[in-house]
Amino acid sequence: MDTHETLPQIISVDDHTVEPPEVWQDRLPAKYRDTGPRIVRAPVKRMTFVGGKFAPEMGAPGDDGPLADWWVYEDLHRPLTRLDTAVGCSRDEIRLEGITYEQMRPGSFSVPERLADMDVNHVQSALCFPTFPRFCGQTFTEAKDRELGLLGVRAYNDWMVEEWCGPQSRGRLIPLTLIPLWDPELAAAEVRRNAARGVRAVCFSEIPPHLGLPGIHTDHWDPFLRACDETGTVVAMHIGSSSRMPSTSADAPPAVGSTITFANCCFSMVDWLMSGKFDRFPNLRIMYAEGQIGWIPYILERADIVWQENRAWGGVAEKVLRPPSELFADHVYGCFFDDAFGLKNLDAIGVGNVLYETDYPHSDSTWPRSRQVAEEQMGHLPADVVERLVRGNAIELLGLTGEGLWGASAPEG
């Protein structure tokens, strides 16, 4: 990029929202308000994150321990933590600890403050993943009451479309919805319901069997995938959307998992490339949020070799009709926020298959320096390539206006 060029405004395809306390209480039928998701302020008795497993324990009123705001839903007690929203804190202040809404940056949960923080960060528009539902709605999938779970999914989607991405966002917040993962027909119906109001992206699990669900090599998910194919809805998979972050042992410190967070994306992408789904659903598009991109070239090289040399016994000869690298070029998008190595090998990935993100408000976020990070890492690239990475590809993939904004009146398909 010419140093005299101005970096185009960023469209981030992976930010996060911390849901306000009233999202479900305002939308669920009265009979569910005592069992549906609600916020309770209580002490943190203990909390660990070892071997990729998060284990918090809520204290009783009057117990010793720092206070936090907890999501309570059926038997689930889940605190808000500093890792949910770390922007504005120094690196040495970012610890695994419970917090309250007053202790987080307001842009985490408030639209006006979010837009202001986007302005500071040279971000025009942003697609936001959930927090309490987890990255693909696992919270509702694991719940006992399926009727309440479905209502919870729909309530979140209504809040996402009508409030978070409503008129006050001025088209700058792009909706990303959930599905009831336990029923592919219900999932398809929810995709179509939201596509009819302009939604073009839906959360899904990177590795469904880790959630106790069928894998994508079966036909179980076909109703859901058909709905995405027919409505132009992108399947968005965030690291951790299988509820199992990569780790090496039960006693491995979080730094191990944080270093290899891309691994699930790697495994998942190979799954999709070897599944035959892209030949069956030619309009299907998938994206990997927060997976970075530097690992992609070798995986494509290896997948092509396996497809060519081992397909007679590898179980793909009849269903994977083109080299995996060609399928990747037409159907898969990698997302990054800090990957200088990947950008140096962009020609082996494909300019059209890369999207930019800022990860606000998480601890890995480049906020408020996303513009500077992009300029430093993309300085060797032509201006037209930079424009595609930081906004052009996202506009095309998510069906945004030419100005990079979302409009609920976008046509279906």
Side-chain angles (χ1 to χ4, degrees), residues 93-113:
E93 295 174 335
I94 302 173
R95 303 181 180 90
L96 181 63
E97 59 183 359
I99 61 171
T100 66
Y101 280 92
E102 289 82 5
Q103 293 172 303
M104 68 177 73
R105 193 170 182 87
S108 303
F109 59 88
S110 169
V111 171
E113 283 85 357

Side-chain angles (χ1 to χ4, degrees), residues 384-396:
D384 62 327
V385 171
V386 174
E387 192 279 336
R388 291 190 68 182
L389 299 184
V390 302
R391 63 182 289 111
N393 290 338
I395 289 174
E396 180 180 345

Side-chain angles (χ1 to χ4, degrees), residues 284-302:
L284 190 62
R285 302 291 184 272
I286 67 174
M287 57 170 271
Y288 287 100
E290 209 173 319
Q292 312 302 335
I293 59 175
W295 52 273
I296 292 175
Y298 173 70
I299 294 300
L300 294 179
E301 178 183 280
R302 177 60 184 166

Side-chain angles (χ1 to χ4, degrees), residues 133-387:
R134 311 220 298 280
F135 294 144
C136 68
Q138 301 103 299
T139 297
F140 297 110
T141 302
E142 294 167 0
K144 301 171 186 174
D145 188 331
R146 290 294 194 217
E147 180 182 357
L148 174 56
L150 180 58
L151 289 171
V153 167
R154 289 175 174 168
Y156 176 86
N157 292 341
D158 290 344
W159 170 80
M160 167 63 60
V161 174
E162 298 166 7
E163 292 197 34
W164 185 252
C165 302
Q168 65 174 338
S169 80
R170 304 193 302 278
R172 296 181 62 189
L173 295 174
I174 306 162
L176 174 64
T177 52
L178 302 175
I179 55 170
L181 287 163
W182 58 90
D183 188 321
E185 294 287 355
L186 289 176
E190 192 62 13
V191 167
R192 296 185 191 279
R193 181 175 82 96
N194 291 303
R197 48 185 178 173
V199 177
R200 290 293 169 272
V202 64
C203 300
F204 191 63
S205 174
E206 59 201 353
I207 308 176
H210 285 181
L211 303 180
L213 299 168
I216 62 165
H217 298 287
T218 71
D219 61 3
H220 174 85
W221 297 105
D222 284 6
F224 163 67
L225 299 180
R226 186 172 298 107
C228 293
D229 177 76
E230 293 176 355
T231 61
T233 299
V234 180
V235 177
M237 293 171 282
H238 195 284
I239 59 166
S241 56
S242 60
S243 296
R244 190 184 300 177
M245 294 298 287
S247 190
T248 54
S249 64
D251 59 353
V256 172
S258 185
T259 302
I260 57 175
T261 51
F262 71 92
N264 281 352
C265 298
C266 173
F267 301 155
S268 174
M269 190 179 80
V270 175
D271 237 4
W272 282 89
L273 293 176
M274 298 300 188
S275 70
K277 298 301 183 185
F278 294 135
D279 286 304
R280 295 190 55 214
F281 301 107
N283 297 313
L284 190 62
R285 302 291 184 272
I286 67 174
M287 57 170 271
Y288 287 100
E290 209 173 319
Q292 312 302 335
I293 59 175
W295 52 273
I296 292 175
Y298 173 70
I299 294 300
L300 294 179
E301 178 183 280
R302 177 60 184 166
D304 277 358
I305 291 172
V306 169
W307 179 82
Q308 183 66 46
E309 302 296 334
N310 300 340
R311 56 183 171 179
W313 60 268
V316 296
E318 302 301 322
K319 63 180 181 179
V320 182
L321 307 181
R322 291 187 290 154
S325 60
E326 291 186 15
L327 296 173
F328 173 90
D330 290 344
H331 298 275
V332 184
Y333 293 78
C335 309
F336 80 101
F337 56 78
D338 190 0
D339 190 342
F341 182 83
L343 289 170
K344 290 175 183 176
N345 294 277
L346 189 61
D347 58 337
I349 302 168
V351 171
N353 297 86
V354 175
L355 306 166
Y356 197 53
E357 57 190 22
T358 76
D359 198 30
Y360 179 106
H362 284 181
S363 60
D364 269 342
S365 178
T366 52
W367 186 93
R369 297 189 63 257
S370 299
R371 176 178 184 169
Q372 293 94 313
V373 171
E375 289 175 338
E376 291 165 4
Q377 296 192 351
M378 301 184 199
H380 63 291
L381 299 173
D384 62 327
V385 171
V386 174
E387 192 279 336

